[in-house]
Amino acid sequence: MTEGERRALEMMEAAETGGRKLFSWQKTLVTVIAVAWCVFQMYAAQVGNIDTLTLRAIHLAFAFTLTYLVFPFSKSPGKPQTRVPWYDWVLGLVATGTAIYLIVQYPSIATVQGGVLSNTDVYVGSAMVILLLLAAWRTIGIAMPIVASVFMLYALTGPRGLIRGDLGPQLQLHAGQTWPQVVGQLFANTEGIFGTAIGVSAQIVFLFVLFGAIFDKLGAGDWFMNVAQGALGGYRGGPAKASVLSSALNGIISGSAVSNVVTGGNITIGTMKRVGYSAEKAGAIEVASSSNGQLMPPVMGAAAFIMAQNLNIEYRTLILAAAIPAFLCYSALLVVVHLEALKLGLKGLPKNELPRVRQTLLKGWYYIVPLAYLIGTLTINPEANPERVALNTIFMMILMMPIQEIYFGRKHGLSVQQGLIDGGKKLIAAFEGGARSMIGIAVATAAAGIIVGIVTITGLGFGLADIVQLVSDGVRNILLNVVGLIPGIDAGAVAGFGAILVVLMMAQLIALILGMGLPTTANYILMSALIVPIIAKIAGLDLANPVQMLPVHMFVFYFGIMADSTPPVALAAFAAAAISGGNPVATGVQAFKYELRTALLAYMMFFNPQLLLIANNKLSGLSFGNAIFMIIFAFIGLVAFSAATMRFLHRKTNPVQMLMLLVASFMLIIPSHILVNLGALGLIALVYFWQKAASRSEPPTTLPLAA
């Protein structure tokens, strides 16, 4: 392992699984607790009758314990802590104790006390809120605690709040809350910390993360990488194309951008540099392809499961809807890296250095079995329960692990007993890895519950909607006055479109800014609580109608994912730069350029819901023929947009050609009228043949003879 790879691995561990390198009994204790968490979650899914709040509180209790054991408050790169300091023992015990207290006391709070908190309940609830914010600071950064604290401060401010005073009609949007009221909202019901978000984390997300951890420990991640390298590594810019394909395959089982960068980038970034990509471009390609892994069904990260819950739709319906955009996203990224290879005049790797695809497929064919069961059951069986399907897949792989180790161990002369031991060790490591990966998700969803709870108790969303409505109305009035002067144009339609477009651009900017400090899951939860209802109000959509709301939720979800590669805070870019040796900020900027096609795709989904299989006012209502039509024209639009942003098609584009490609791509956002479609295709063809003619007219370059 090179120094850069080691630093990237440390960065990933510090960000996602805890930065402490413990030894002796402390390391063993962490392993035992992590495995116990996995066993409990599997048991809960198996029995299926654990009380809702109890399940969520136990889930948070495990997360609290592991947070204070493995996530240090201060992180020193290259100098990981090897012991748990005494104060973290205290904080961890108190934090875990608050969750246990709620489990024991909640029946009394709900029945005997009628939902009114005693002084002791308020003290314990206050401790949980404070320690949760501290845990969030350690696991996902300082942005979430700051945002949550601001929201709580807002709830306390008002004529009847803890912080008294009338701020005036322009700022005072609610009457104010006392601290016991805030604690009651956040601590002792399922509309705050223990709301829908952590419920989805406890019930569904954990099992899918554990599935991904075991599947990777089986060796599937390396197998995906070898298949991708063998299939595409020999083509022009092949290592970059292999990075895209392997990230797409890994995205099926993992929703983490940073871990995808570290695991895949250790191989792909070096080979990309070898064929001629700069350190920054090699890292940026890995960042773009890895962050897009969260778009790949069926494991799209925790945010997707929460989205299904918010929309009150089956997860099966969501992953089917997400399939076409995910395919388009990765197909367009392949075009981007191909254009980059053409610009740089790059070649592929020698065929004799690449894995043979047929042999690689035969060597790991059995990896397809659990994956096929998971995907097939979720997509084909409408009665399938996602957590039950994930649990069955986990059981299947638990059986596969020792069988695999015994089989390969016998080939190397090892005994059956040794194979069983090796398989058991890998399973324990997978369980620990899965639990560690869940710490940040559990804490993030619990902390996001603070924000959602405050929005609910204060009605903040309605006030923000009124403010955005003023902006939208202003834009609409301006466009009505300006466009109304042009004869033959429907000024009302143009003004309405412009008003919605401005709101979407505001939502895009907010998502990107929030994403600089928040992980995708927390970003989506916050956007869905605050911004999605505003977009719905401006666009005249029914919040209770999933057919109308799915494009809005997918819009903010896509920009939340783009935030992973948005400078200056882009952890995935820093991890990639650590491996490539490039500048992390320049890597992030380049990755953002590659990700611009994802932004266009988000607008395509909003204005053309058929890309989400929505038709005839039904989810999954689009016919196969229409789906193919939509895919083809959307792909062409993304190719044109990528060529414009890359400033290259057949050769470098001039400003006029770039503008023509942009116009063509925007015309294909809604591929409805045949004349518009043909006009867009005509513009793209015109640019291509214009460039080809210019290439033929250039005199041949005379190369100097070798000495």
Side-chain angles (χ1 to χ4, degrees):
M1 181 181 293
T2 66
E3 178 64 19
E5 292 170 353
R6 184 188 63 78
R7 285 191 291 115
L9 182 60
E10 286 182 356
M11 192 180 303
M12 187 271 289
E13 289 175 344
E16 298 198 352
T17 62
R20 285 194 177 122
K21 299 285 188 181
L22 302 177
F23 295 96
S24 186
W25 66 271
Q26 293 188 356
K27 180 180 180 182
T28 304
L29 177 64
V30 168
T31 301
V32 169
I33 294 172
V35 172
W37 193 7
C38 295
V39 172
F40 166 75
Q41 296 288 166
M42 293 167 63
Y43 168 78
Q46 180 68 32
V47 299
N49 60 357
I50 297 178
D51 174 72
T52 298
L53 190 135
T54 300
L55 174 62
R56 297 173 184 182
I58 294 175
H59 185 71
L60 183 58
F62 273 111
F64 269 150
T65 303
L66 290 174
T67 293
Y68 287 101
L69 287 177
V70 302
F71 280 90
F73 184 72
S74 60
K75 303 175 180 67
S76 301
K79 296 180 180 179
Q81 296 182 14
T82 56
R83 291 176 61 255
V84 181
W86 66 268
Y87 51 84
D88 276 353
W89 287 109
V90 174
L91 293 173
L93 286 171
V94 174
T96 306
T98 61
I100 295 172
Y101 174 90
L102 181 63
I103 296 169
V104 175
Q105 190 66 17
Y106 183 73
S108 176
I109 295 174
T111 56
V112 179
Q113 300 171 213
V116 179
L117 302 189
S118 66
N119 288 337
T120 303
D121 298 335
V122 173
Y123 294 145
V124 175
S126 301
M128 174 180 283
V129 171
I130 294 169
L131 290 169
L132 175 58
L133 293 177
L134 181 57
W137 190 344
R138 292 170 179 239
T139 55
I140 59 176
I142 196 172
M144 175 63 89
I146 290 176
V147 173
S149 298
V150 170
F151 272 72
M152 286 192 292
L153 184 63
Y154 171 77
L156 296 171
T157 304
R160 297 197 303 271
L162 178 65
I163 305 173
R164 301 302 176 89
D166 190 345
L167 302 181
Q170 299 302 317
L171 295 176
Q172 192 61 63
L173 302 178
H174 69 105
Q177 309 292 323
T178 64
W179 180 247
Q181 288 175 320
V182 170
V183 172
Q185 173 74 6
L186 301 181
F187 170 67
N189 61 45
T190 55
E191 294 183 352
I193 292 172
F194 299 104
T196 299
I198 195 171
V200 174
S201 174
Q203 189 173 352
I204 303 176
V205 176
F206 192 105
L207 295 174
F208 278 86
V209 170
L210 182 58
F211 154 74
I214 300 175
F215 197 57
D216 186 62
K217 252 333 181 203
L218 271 172
D222 292 337
W223 182 66
F224 284 153
M225 175 62 68
N226 289 332
V227 170
Q229 289 277 15
L232 298 178
Y235 293 97
R236 185 186 294 272
K241 294 172 181 174
S243 170
V244 174
L245 178 58
S246 64
S247 292
L249 294 173
N250 272 312
I252 294 174
I253 61 171
S254 171
S256 169
V258 180
S259 64
N260 285 350
V261 165
V262 174
T263 53
N266 286 338
I267 297 174
T268 60
I269 289 176
T271 54
M272 280 189 272
K273 290 175 64 178
R274 181 181 163 194
V275 298
Y277 289 99
S278 67
E280 286 75 19
K281 288 185 176 180
I285 290 169
E286 183 61 44
V287 169
S289 56
S290 294
S291 60
N292 286 167
Q294 296 176 83
L295 307 176
M296 285 295 293
V299 184
M300 299 166 59
F305 295 99
I306 297 171
M307 187 192 304
Q309 198 85 2
N310 288 342
L311 290 167
N312 195 26
I313 61 175
E314 296 174 343
Y315 190 65
R316 166 182 175 272
T317 303
L318 180 62
I319 60 178
L320 287 173
I324 290 178
F327 170 78
L328 288 171
C329 194
Y330 271 104
S331 299
L333 185 56
L334 281 173
V335 171
V336 167
V337 299
H338 180 70
L339 293 176
E340 193 71 85
L342 288 174
K343 280 175 65 177
L344 299 173
L346 306 182
K347 303 295 182 183
L349 291 171
K351 293 283 188 183
N352 60 357
E353 295 184 13
L354 299 172
R356 296 191 176 183
V357 177
R358 184 172 178 275
Q359 292 179 356
T360 304
L361 287 172
L362 290 175
K363 186 177 180 180
W365 65 268
Y366 56 91
Y367 293 132
I368 299 175
V369 175
L371 193 60
Y373 168 77
L374 181 76
I375 297 175
T377 308
L378 284 177
T379 54
I380 296 173
N381 183 6
E383 305 298 324
N385 183 303
E387 56 263 37
R388 175 62 62 178
V389 175
L391 183 63
N392 291 342
T393 311
I394 289 170
F395 286 147
M396 187 185 303
M397 293 188 296
I398 288 175
L399 289 175
M400 289 175 62
M401 184 75 80
I403 294 173
Q404 173 185 267
E405 294 305 307
I406 291 171
Y407 176 77
F408 288 110
R410 295 290 288 174
K411 280 191 167 185
H412 293 87
L414 299 178
S415 65
V416 172
Q417 181 182 4
Q418 187 60 47
L420 287 172
I421 293 172
D422 291 343
K425 287 180 178 178
K426 282 193 172 184
L427 272 177
I428 291 173
F431 274 38
E432 182 177 355
R436 280 174 170 258
S437 297
M438 273 303 303
I439 299 171
I441 296 173
V443 171
T445 51
I450 294 176
I451 297 169
V452 175
I454 297 299
V455 170
T456 302
I457 199 174
T458 61
L460 176 62
F462 298 108
L464 289 177
D466 291 339
I467 295 173
V468 176
Q469 183 77 62
L470 289 174
V471 176
S472 174
D473 289 344
V475 172
R476 182 181 283 106
N477 291 333
I478 292 173
L479 289 174
L480 279 172
N481 293 331
V482 173
V483 180
L485 300 175
I486 305 174
I489 295 181
D490 187 345
V494 173
F497 176 81
I500 294 173
L501 189 61
V502 167
V503 173
L504 291 178
M505 293 174 69
M506 291 172 63
Q508 165 189 337
L509 184 61
I510 293 170
L512 291 175
I513 292 173
L514 287 175
M516 293 181 187
L518 298 179
T520 304
T521 302
N523 190 340
Y524 168 73
I525 294 170
L526 189 54
M527 293 292 292
S528 64
L530 288 176
I531 307 302
V532 165
I534 295 175
I535 297 175
K537 181 180 179 182
I538 304 300
L541 305 177
D542 181 3
L543 277 170
N545 188 339
V547 175
Q548 296 183 14
M549 294 308 301
L550 177 58
V552 186
H553 282 266
M554 290 295 287
F555 181 87
V556 299
F557 177 58
Y558 264 53
F559 278 105
I561 289 172
M562 275 191 68
D564 279 344
S565 54
T566 302
V569 183
L571 190 58
F574 277 83
I579 299 173
S580 70
N583 181 286
V585 175
T587 300
V589 171
Q590 187 65 49
F592 185 77
K593 292 179 181 177
Y594 292 148
E595 283 283 64
L596 287 174
R597 82 207 184 285
T598 308
L600 180 67
L601 185 55
Y603 282 93
M604 281 183 167
M605 287 187 294
F606 183 87
F607 289 109
N608 181 23
Q610 288 187 326
L611 287 175
L612 297 170
L613 301 181
I614 295 173
N616 302 318
N617 203 29
K618 291 194 308 182
L619 297 171
S620 302
L622 189 67
S623 67
F624 179 78
N626 285 337
I628 297 298
F629 174 82
M630 289 296 159
I631 290 172
I632 292 173
F633 279 98
F635 176 71
I636 294 172
L638 288 170
V639 169
F641 184 77
S642 299
T645 54
M646 295 284 294
R647 297 291 305 274
F648 193 93
L649 184 58
H650 180 68
R651 56 182 289 167
K652 186 176 180 180
T653 60
N654 60 39
V656 174
Q657 293 167 348
M658 184 180 71
L659 182 62
M660 291 169 66
L661 290 171
L662 283 175
V663 170
S665 65
F666 294 149
M667 290 168 68
L668 290 172
I669 287 180
I670 311 176
S672 53
H673 197 285
I674 188 64
L675 292 179
V676 176
N677 299 339
L678 291 176
L681 295 179
L683 282 175
I684 297 169
L686 182 59
V687 172
Y688 178 77
F689 288 113
W690 180 358
Q691 291 195 343
K692 200 151 190 180
S695 296
R696 283 196 294 265
S697 65
E698 289 181 349
T701 302
T702 303
L703 297 176
L705 295 175

